[in-house]
């Protein structure tokens, strides 16, 4: 493969693409499996940090693009290995990974932008609850 092939539209929009070779298939599966494992770990950690709702909600929201990218990537890898026409185009894989990265960036920027105000609200609520009467068990 030559890098100049990446510049041609026929490379990205080929109706039928050859299946991955053995090594490249394993590499792609490891990457997608790593993204799926990272998403699962983020979900587990979000439940572990339930007393801190800001951190739990943030971890839960960040896990979503990883799930999306890994599961749709696995579906399109399977379609490519089967050699289905049109859906096995390289363009779809780039689109899926690009959408996953863009989604992650949007969520991360939103969380980072609202974190300071939410942490101040959380601290004020925690201080307020400190003075409320406790329930008896």
């Amino acid at each position: 493969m030559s890098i100049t092939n990446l510049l041609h539209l026929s490379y990205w929009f080929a109706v039928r693409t050859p299946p991955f070779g053995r090594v490249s298939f394993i590499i792609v599966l490891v990457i997608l499996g790593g993204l799926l494992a990272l998403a699962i770990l983020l979900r587990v950690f979000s439940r572990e940090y339930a007393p801190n709702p800001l951190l739990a909600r943030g971890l839960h929201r960040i896990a979503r693009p990883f799930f999306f990218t890994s599961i749709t990537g696995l579906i399109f890898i399977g379609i490519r290995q089967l050699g289905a026409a049109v859906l096995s185009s390289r363009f779809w894989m780039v689109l899926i990974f690009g959408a996953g990265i863009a989604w992650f960036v949007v969520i991360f920027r939103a969380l980072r932008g609202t974190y300071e105000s939410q942490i101040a609200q959380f601290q004020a609520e925690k201080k307020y609850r400190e003075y409320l009467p406790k329930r008896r068990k």
Side-chain angles (χ1 to χ4, degrees):
M1 179 178 140
S2 175
I3 292 182
T4 58
N5 287 343
L6 298 176
L7 301 176
H8 301 291
L9 287 178
S10 61
Y11 176 79
W12 295 105
F13 293 100
V15 175
R16 287 191 174 243
T17 55
F20 282 114
R22 182 181 171 121
V23 174
S24 59
F25 183 64
I26 291 171
I27 290 171
V28 169
L29 284 181
V30 165
I31 290 171
L32 292 174
L35 284 176
L36 188 61
L38 181 63
I40 291 170
L41 282 174
L42 287 173
R43 287 282 175 106
V44 168
F45 286 144
S46 73
R47 291 213 173 103
E48 185 177 313
Y49 291 113
N52 185 348
L54 297 176
L55 183 59
R57 191 176 330 126
L59 290 174
H60 186 75
R61 286 179 65 188
I62 287 177
R64 289 180 187 160
F66 291 129
F67 271 121
F68 169 77
T69 304
S70 63
I71 291 176
T72 53
L74 289 171
I75 290 170
F76 277 109
I77 292 299
I79 289 171
R80 181 168 178 176
Q81 291 301 101
L82 291 174
V86 180
L87 289 177
S88 66
S89 175
R90 292 174 184 96
F91 167 75
W92 294 112
M93 289 300 296
V94 171
L95 182 70
I96 292 298
F97 285 118
I101 290 170
W103 191 8
F104 176 77
V105 168
V106 166
I107 288 175
F108 188 74
R109 291 182 98 197
L111 287 175
R112 202 179 85 190
T114 62
Y115 182 74
E116 290 178 4
S117 64
Q118 287 181 351
I119 197 73
Q121 180 183 3
F122 177 68
Q123 294 295 334
E125 183 179 323
K126 189 176 179 182
K127 191 168 196 135
Y128 172 73
R129 289 180 189 260
E130 184 177 299
Y131 297 107
L132 291 177
K134 306 286 189 253
R135 289 185 184 178
R136 291 186 182 181
K137 292 184 180 180

